[in-house]
Amino acid sequence: MQNTDKDIARAGEILRGGGLVAIPTETVYGLAANALDGRAVAKIFAAKGRPQDNPLIVHISHIDQWDALVREIPPRAKALAQAYWPGPLTIILPKSDIIPDEVSAGLDTVAVRFPSMRATRRIIDAAGVPLAAPSANLSGSPSPTCARHTMDDMRGRIDAVLDGGECNFGVESTVVTLATDVPRLLRPGAVTPEELREVLGELEIDSAVMGKLKEGAKVASPGMKYKHYSPNAEVTIVRGSLSQYCDYIRNAAEQENACGREKIFALCFDGEEDQIPLHCVTYGREDDPLTQSHRLFTALRELDERGALKVYARCPSADGVGMAVYNRLLRAAGFSVVQLNEYRSR
Ligand code: TXA
Ligand code: MG
């Protein structure tokens, strides 16, 4: 389906009837169902192969819809919403009774997001109900940032995909919980920790954001314990200058007999291809994290399409929006990082 009035009305009908529609947002494509209908929401888990204990984000198209979903909206939540909604920010609060267990996966909180993309809000309006929507990928794969990637994963599993073009940000929303004494960042996104602190004053960064979870550790955000965003290839992040990186991969490629040089790829920044002695897939400009977030998941899917088995990734800066890019790339790499330059804490 396209982004026309008629198709948006049709998407609304399917959603109201308990069906599943993949929808564009400013972050990534979402797989939507009526958030107030537990049976409809259960179909999302089946279509994605999503673990049952991983809760979903509820999307609204008017700020007034928030009230009914949560127990109360404290002043600091109002202030956050005022500053960054509509936009790529998800706020977690204790849930109200109308949230089905399928949405909250048994937790007593609910995550709510008010997206900024006009088409997304029109679909929510057409459905007439808030929409539960995780990213529209098969569980474990990179999130889809265009209708084609969504179809690649969801063909035959859902009722419709609404094509709204390429997603602007390309990585998922910032997730912050206000259900704790001190607000806590659970997932970095386009709204940065600095921007959250401007409004909240204090903000803790959950240890799972940049670190690997210990086996059996209790997690604040269940989604973080799963393997995620991974292409088929084995990804290694190489931290160092471009020339250090080139020396390193030249060496590594020479020693690589198992899969053959043809299957080894560089995941690098725009304009570096000429200097790199491997096949290259680029993911944005080195000095511009928004171009990196826009490209990253597409680049990971491209590596699969081109048959990569081993990938050496240039390391992004983890400052500002870069934290979201680095967080996703770290998971795609299963936390495999080679350190070539002097250690700098990121
Ligand atoms: O940008 C986005 O947020 C996209 C688009 C479609 O809006 N959605 C998205 O949903 O990324 P999903 O399900 O792929 O990621 C939601 C994350 C998961 O890590 C989940 O564990 C966490 O948010 N989450 C959801 N509800 C939660 C809750 N009540 N407490 C803690 N974490 C929660
Ligand atoms: Mg996801």
Side-chain angles (χ1 to χ4, degrees):
M1 296 200 291
Q2 298 300 314
N3 202 351
T4 61
D5 289 351
K6 203 171 143 227
D7 284 345
I8 285 178
R10 177 80 192 111
E13 265 168 47
I14 297 172
L15 289 162
R16 257 198 318 280
L20 300 187
V21 181
I23 62 170
T25 82
E26 72 275 21
T27 57
V28 299
Y29 274 68
L31 180 53
N34 177 355
L36 306 180
D37 176 351
R39 278 171 57 190
V41 171
K43 294 184 199 164
I44 292 177
F45 287 83
K48 278 182 60 98
R50 184 179 178 99
Q52 300 287 341
D53 67 348
N54 195 1
L56 305 179
I57 297 172
V58 178
H59 297 70
I60 57 176
S61 52
H62 294 279
I63 192 90
D64 311 346
Q65 292 170 308
W66 199 14
D67 276 320
L69 305 175
V70 295
R71 227 178 291 151
E72 67 169 323
I73 302 173
R76 62 185 187 183
K78 281 201 183 103
L80 257 196
Q82 176 124 38
Y84 303 116
W85 274 1
L89 173 68
T90 296
I91 302 174
I92 296 175
L93 286 171
K95 77 181 185 80
S96 74
D97 293 339
I98 68 166
I99 301 294
D101 283 341
E102 287 83 355
V103 169
S104 55
L107 300 177
D108 55 9
T109 53
V110 65
V112 179
R113 180 159 108 77
F114 182 0
S116 60
M117 189 178 181
R118 198 164 160 264
T120 321
R121 291 192 272 161
R122 289 180 62 213
I123 297 163
I124 303 169
D125 283 344
V129 286
L131 298 178
S135 48
N137 51 289
L138 288 173
S139 209
S141 301
S143 303
T145 53
C146 63
R148 183 171 71 81
H149 294 163
T150 306
M151 288 294 286
D152 287 346
D153 279 18
M154 289 299 147
R155 189 172 282 113
R157 295 170 175 266
I158 63 176
D159 299 301
V161 178
L162 201 131
D163 188 347
E166 269 184 32
C167 299
N168 182 13
F169 291 114
V171 299
E172 305 85 345
S173 61
T174 303
V175 177
V176 64
T177 181
L178 300 181
T180 44
D181 286 342
V182 178
R184 178 177 284 253
L185 178 74
L186 300 184
R187 181 175 73 183
V191 176
T192 64
E194 297 74 28
E195 287 170 331
L196 295 173
R197 282 196 181 105
E198 270 172 33
V199 175
L200 295 170
E202 48 180 5
L203 176 78
E204 288 175 352
I205 312 269
D206 198 87
S207 58
V209 167
M210 284 312 185
K212 193 174 179 171
L213 280 167
K214 292 197 186 70
E215 200 71 32
K218 190 173 179 310
V219 286
S221 187
M224 290 206 274
K225 72 184 174 198
Y226 298 108
K227 185 166 175 253
H228 217 153
Y229 317 119
S230 2
N232 299 323
E234 181 189 311
V235 180
T236 304
I237 300 172
V238 181
R239 186 180 277 172
S241 67
L242 177 59
S243 70
Q244 287 173 318
Y245 170 88
C246 289
D247 289 345
Y248 179 84
I249 57 172
R250 200 172 286 117
N251 228 321
E254 269 164 24
Q255 288 172 19
E256 186 61 61
N257 303 314
C259 67
R261 279 189 75 134
E262 286 302 295
K263 304 281 183 191
I264 308 177
F265 279 70
L267 177 60
C268 64
F269 299 119
D270 298 350
E272 295 179 343
E273 302 93 311
D274 285 353
Q275 295 174 65
I276 293 177
L278 288 176
H279 299 303
C280 292
V281 169
T282 59
Y283 77 107
R285 286 180 22 205
E286 182 172 17
D287 61 355
D288 184 354
L290 280 170
T291 62
Q292 295 165 15
S293 71
H294 181 75
R295 269 285 299 165
L296 180 65
F297 288 150
T298 298
L300 293 176
R301 282 178 182 256
E302 224 168 279
L303 288 163
D304 276 350
E305 284 162 15
R306 292 178 62 181
L309 290 181
K310 240 190 181 160
V311 174
Y312 294 101
R314 291 268 286 134
C315 187
S317 156
D319 295 335
V321 178
M323 185 188 268
V325 175
Y326 187 56
N327 167 279
R328 305 310 189 275
L329 190 56
L330 256 184
R331 279 164 176 76
F335 294 89
S336 164
V337 183
V338 171
Q339 177 71 43
L340 298 180
N341 55 4
E342 217 174 286
Y343 183 74
R344 276 190 297 145
S345 132
R346 288 185 181 263

